[in-house]
Amino acid sequence: MAEFTMELSDEQKEVRDWLHGFAADVIRPAAAEWDEREETPWPVIQEAAKVGIYSLDFYAQQYFDPTGLGIPMAMEELFWGDAGIALSIVGTGLAAVGVLANGTEEQIGTWIPQMYGDADDVKLAAFCSSEPDAGSDVASMRTRAVYDEAKDEWVLNGTKTWATNGGIANVHVVVAVVDAELGSKGHASFIVPPGTPGLSQGQKFKKHGIRASHTAEVILDNVRLPGSCLLGGKEKLDARLARAREKAEKGGMGVPPLERSREWGRVKNAAMATFEASRPAVGAMAVGTARAAYEVALEYAQTREQFGRPIIDNQGVAFQLADMRTSIDAARLLVWRASWMAVNGKPFTAAEGSMSKLFASETAKKVTAQAIQILGGNGYTREYPVERMHRDSAIYTIFEGTSEIQRLVIARTLAGMPIR
């Protein structure tokens, strides 16, 4: 187990500086253009692939960093460059992690390379979970997967929404209901290969922020998949469903209500552990955006003169900058702590993953708003990047669990209550 430390190793510093250089030289100069175009920034993704950033190898190296700091460090630097473009670069990782976490070795070896392609032929992947009526409430998911035993095929029907790269991806990973009576325990994940009939893109969303990242609905109309496309395989799924049914039956046969509640809470908490471990990465994205806005505001306050002196000499501005920097550093500390805990198997007894995401996302919204205030009228125009950063920051309090859901998770964890 790696000891928790705030000091990056020389190797980590090299990676950080390399990513920062790419963000400064490639991402930032393109940010305003692709925000206005509201299109996937293919040239930037291709450049990231050429240098090795858009690749499974790079993502895996950071993911398996024993200190836990590889992913948050990478996310902070890329999102410091621009949130929309950075999300286009890292969005495939959501689907890749889904396959790595649930797939067989054969599935991992077959599908993940097809998610990334190579520098000459870049591919994308999409992770499709949310639905029009099932966002935070995953138990309300309606997309169904029915097994056709005669043909050893799964038939998927439903609509997914808010899917990053949805409809334009080569490979889609889709979460669907296989046993509605088991709630979220009756879900399974499926690979939808390129060109599969029945999968189509629905509405493409025109968003407030992160406009360079493609977000759309995915329509599944009698999508037929070979049995081999069920992540983990049917034998593993059948065993998991049988265990869930057995627990459900025991829960309703003479077990005292309090004990049933405690058991249900333990099951749900175990399921939530996956989300808890991924939320610090979103927190790191928020830290990157907040830091970028703070740096613009600091430079502006040092050079902008009013009444014969730089505006940073005014206490009202200086105190805002002090609060901004303090909040950013505090957010990073929470993110790094949670990331280290996740990689080293430390239990989130106080929902530390949700804490980091909550604080960092709220910090990003506040800091980017303060940056606009410091720049005054200039900050409100698109001539300066803080206007875009403020729009981008709004997403952090929404995706991967809203701030309200984070507070609910934290409160219920502290109280020892079930997480619904």
Side-chain angles (χ1 to χ4, degrees), residues 1 339-348:
M1 182 181 71
S339 300
W340 173 82
M341 290 175 69
V343 131
N344 287 283
K346 297 287 186 181
F348 287 149

Side-chain angles (χ1 to χ4, degrees), residues 144-201:
R144 295 291 189 266
V146 178
Y147 184 59
D148 184 341
E149 190 170 359
K151 296 183 178 181
D152 185 27
E153 291 181 342
W154 289 91
V155 184
L156 274 61
N157 283 283
T159 299
K160 294 296 181 179
T161 193
W162 311 123
T164 299
N165 299 332
I168 65 171
N170 274 65
V171 179
H172 291 75
V173 177
V174 177
V175 182
V177 178
V178 294
D179 189 330
E181 293 182 358
L182 295 176
S184 60
K185 287 293 185 181
H187 296 176
S189 296
F190 299 84
I191 289 282
V192 182
T196 299
L199 184 147
S200 62
Q201 178 183 309

Side-chain angles (χ1 to χ4, degrees), residues 2-21:
E3 293 295 327
F4 180 70
T5 175
M6 292 300 299
E7 182 65 30
L8 298 177
S9 68
D10 290 341
E11 182 179 352
Q12 288 172 323
K13 289 177 182 177
E14 287 181 9
V15 173
R16 179 199 61 192
D17 293 346
W18 171 55
L19 290 169
H20 186 80

Side-chain angles (χ1 to χ4, degrees), residues 379-391:
Y380 198 65
T381 71
R382 296 190 183 183
E383 295 299 315
Y384 287 80
V386 292
E387 176 271 340
R388 184 180 69 252
M389 294 168 184
H390 184 52
R391 286 189 286 107

Side-chain angles (χ1 to χ4, degrees), residues 99 102-104 107 189 228-237:
V99 176
N102 302 300
T104 64
Q107 288 171 331
S189 296
S228 59
C229 287
L230 167 65
L231 285 179
K234 194 166 188 304
E235 183 177 343
K236 182 179 178 181
L237 172 65

Side-chain angles (χ1 to χ4, degrees), residues 22-199:
F22 182 85
D25 299 338
V26 180
I27 294 179
R28 277 208 170 174
E33 174 188 352
W34 292 99
D35 176 73
E36 290 286 346
R37 292 175 64 166
E38 298 191 51
E39 297 175 357
T40 301
W42 289 106
V44 183
I45 299 173
Q46 289 169 340
E47 191 63 29
K50 287 179 182 178
V51 300
I53 294 174
Y54 185 75
S55 70
L56 176 63
D57 287 345
F58 172 75
Y59 196 85
Q61 286 174 10
Q62 304 316 309
Y63 186 82
F64 291 111
D65 181 341
T67 69
L69 303 185
I71 288 294
M73 179 185 64
M75 295 299 172
E76 180 177 337
E77 294 304 328
L78 292 173
F79 281 74
W80 172 89
D82 176 69
I85 291 178
L87 191 57
S88 293
I89 293 173
V90 307
T92 291
L94 298 173
V97 167
V99 176
L100 283 169
N102 302 300
T104 64
E105 289 187 9
E106 182 179 357
Q107 288 171 331
I108 292 170
T110 298
W111 295 112
I112 290 185
Q114 295 187 48
M115 292 180 173
Y116 285 92
D118 55 46
D120 297 321
D121 187 20
V122 170
K123 306 294 185 185
L124 297 175
F127 183 75
C128 307
S129 178
S130 293
E131 298 184 2
D133 296 318
S136 299
D137 184 9
V138 295
S140 296
M141 190 176 293
R142 295 180 180 178
T143 297
R144 295 291 189 266
V146 178
Y147 184 59
D148 184 341
E149 190 170 359
K151 296 183 178 181
D152 185 27
E153 291 181 342
W154 289 91
V155 184
L156 274 61
N157 283 283
T159 299
K160 294 296 181 179
T161 193
W162 311 123
T164 299
N165 299 332
I168 65 171
N170 274 65
V171 179
H172 291 75
V173 177
V174 177
V175 182
V177 178
V178 294
D179 189 330
E181 293 182 358
L182 295 176
S184 60
K185 287 293 185 181
H187 296 176
S189 296
F190 299 84
I191 289 282
V192 182
T196 299
L199 184 147

